Amino acid sequence: MTPAHNSTRHDRDGVARAALALLDEVGLADLSMRRIAARLDVQPSALYWHFASKQALLAELADRITAGIPRGDASVLDTARGIRDALFAYRDGAELVLSTYALRLGSSSAQTAVHDALVADGADSPHERAAAIMHFVLGHATLVQQRMHADSYGAVMADDEVGAEHDVTAGLDRVFDLGVTALTGVVSGATAPRHDRA
């Protein structure tokens, strides 16, 4: 017997919003369907009226996390920074989006935005470069968030100087910009043709 659907108590948007709020509170590892259902005061089975699986819900969360990235006439670097900042807006946001991206769940709007910016800049091989930039952005953002988590728990090595403040993310903005710029490449027409190795 299937559970009775009570649309007055929750809907798809409400489930996703509750899940995002819980993500910030408990992190991805503890974001369970049971915990989300408890937040909404429903049985876990009720959530499956709106999402076929937890993976489908996580894909929806990933789409929501990346929904506000810059589009239109934004440069490749600004687009990549926008994606990174969107990932940082939620606890474990980078890990969540990385996991859904790896499984090819949800939309590819973030990568499409990078691709469109590359095309506007005249970059060669925009599809492959967009994929490479997404891999870099997701990996970089995951690394930074893990360092920040470790630092919040006191698990990061202290500075050599006693009493000096230690910034675990120092210099990483420059590394990010350098990586994205390198992956963007030279505009088409200015590069020599590639030759396959024999």
Side-chain angles (χ1 to χ4, degrees):
M1 201 170 165
T2 58
H5 177 48
N6 185 348
S7 62
T8 63
R9 297 188 66 183
H10 62 94
D11 57 15
R12 183 181 175 90
D13 180 62
V15 171
R17 285 188 288 108
L20 276 176
L22 273 171
L23 177 68
D24 267 342
E25 293 174 24
V26 303
L28 183 59
D30 291 323
L31 184 66
S32 66
M33 296 297 266
R34 183 173 301 277
R35 194 183 291 262
I36 297 165
R39 172 61 59 91
L40 293 167
D41 194 27
V42 298
Q43 291 298 314
S45 58
L47 302 182
Y48 295 98
W49 281 100
H50 308 291
F51 296 97
S53 65
K54 182 179 179 182
Q55 290 72 28
L57 173 57
L58 294 181
E60 173 68 18
L61 300 187
D63 287 347
R64 287 175 181 241
I65 287 171
T66 57
I69 62 175
R71 287 179 171 79
D73 60 354
S75 69
V76 177
L77 183 56
D78 285 342
T79 302
R81 286 173 177 165
I83 296 168
R84 176 201 58 188
D85 293 346
L87 301 178
F88 288 164
Y90 292 92
R91 179 177 176 180
D92 296 335
E95 184 182 351
L96 187 153
V97 174
L98 175 61
S99 67
T100 59
Y101 181 87
L103 297 175
R104 297 181 179 180
L105 299 173
S107 72
S108 57
S109 61
Q111 185 166 324
T112 299
V114 175
H115 174 273
D116 293 347
L118 285 163
V119 170
D121 278 0
D124 66 298
S125 305
H127 181 74
E128 291 82 2
R129 288 187 187 276
I133 290 170
M134 278 301 299
H135 294 179
F136 175 76
V137 171
L138 289 167
H140 185 276
T142 301
L143 179 147
V144 171
Q145 280 195 323
Q146 288 184 353
R147 283 191 183 178
M148 292 170 67
H149 289 330
D151 184 54
S152 70
Y153 289 108
V156 175
M157 293 177 60
D159 255 323
D160 293 335
E161 297 179 26
V162 177
E165 288 191 18
H166 184 73
D167 182 359
V168 295
T169 63
L172 290 181
D173 282 347
R174 184 174 181 277
V175 170
F176 182 86
D177 288 359
L178 181 63
V180 172
T181 301
L183 290 169
T184 299
V186 183
V187 295
S188 56
T191 56
R194 293 183 298 176
H195 300 284
D196 293 332
R197 293 181 179 177

